[in-house]
Amino acid sequence: MNNKIDAIELFTQIVETGSLSAAAKRSGLSISTISRQITALEQRLGLKLLIRSTRKIVLTEDGSAYYAAVKEILNELNQVESQLKEHHQEPSGNLHISAPTLFGRHYLVPILTEFMLRYPKINLEITLLDRPVDMLNEGIDLAIRIGELEDSSLLCRQLGQIQWVLCASPLYLANNGIPEHPLDLSKHQCLIYSQSKIANEWEFLDHQTKLKVKVPVKMRSNTLDTVVAAALKGIGLTMTPQWFIQENIEKGELIPLMPTYQRPARPIYALFTHHHFLAHKVRLLLDYLVEQLAAQKFR
């Protein structure tokens, strides 16, 4: 061994195993060879990295700083080597993806089945739920989220955006009148789809100016199909993604309202954890979703 990387790897092994003898067993080298390598490393740096005794190894202050820096470098080097190997192998292994329930069923699942046909050695775990996920603790490689993001510890890529529409059934409008301005909503029964237990505010665009209006809550649900079912029965007005009710609109079962006061479109993001080098199979899935969803019309 005579290069810098070999000496650095030996140094990290000594730190992590706690002794020269343990590092010797891991590396397959003699204790004397390892000792000479560390001495040469210290001489090259002009620093004392380790205090060696018969019983234990103690890091100096410079040694601690050096270990933290080179450990990160070695990790990145290993990631680069792994990615280069992956690019020359058929993608394989497990991937865990999460998404909102109805969006996942309607758009994502058909796309993911095609992805598995394209990459047969990749196994998918698909979790559909209507709450934000803790990606690290729940072991999720990629998460789909709709709406503005608040978590800056994650990386993201926008996949598209969803148009929302205010609507009601003909029965409700016949009994309660048609609102013409967002402020008219204070006189109506509103059905709110939200993860928040206190949300009672809808946002509109008035000539590119955002207008937020607090509305009376007749019913609130954390599932979209619940509020749409109530709207179809004539219980009240609701604000919903247009893709979800487009068929109801075409059948005349729901009527879009106040078209001049649109709700701002909500972005669709793919989230992934903060790594310098994204795993090849995760990048394949991310690029595939971008490719497939770009052709979708979310209205």
Side-chain angles (χ1 to χ4, degrees), residues 148-199:
E148 298 300 332
L149 303 176
E150 298 179 359
D151 191 345
S152 60
S153 66
L154 299 173
L155 298 179
C156 68
R157 188 167 175 182
Q158 187 166 348
L159 303 176
Q161 59 182 17
I162 292 178
Q163 185 61 54
W164 286 56
V165 61
L166 178 69
C167 63
S169 71
L171 174 63
Y172 176 84
L173 297 175
N175 291 334
N176 297 276
I178 301 174
E180 297 182 356
H181 188 277
L183 295 179
D184 294 341
L185 296 177
S186 62
K187 302 174 184 177
H188 286 267
Q189 298 180 162
C190 298
L191 313 172
I192 295 182
Y193 163 60
S194 175
Q195 301 300 313
S196 171
K197 293 182 179 181
I198 60 173

Side-chain angles (χ1 to χ4, degrees), residues 61-90:
E61 184 176 349
D62 288 328
S64 294
Y66 187 70
Y67 172 76
V70 298
K71 185 63 178 176
E72 183 174 348
I73 292 170
L74 289 175
N75 286 339
E76 291 192 359
L77 180 60
N78 289 333
Q79 288 181 336
V80 170
E81 291 177 348
S82 295
Q83 282 202 334
L84 288 174
K85 290 178 182 177
E86 285 181 345
H87 278 289
H88 293 280
Q89 298 172 349
E90 185 176 359

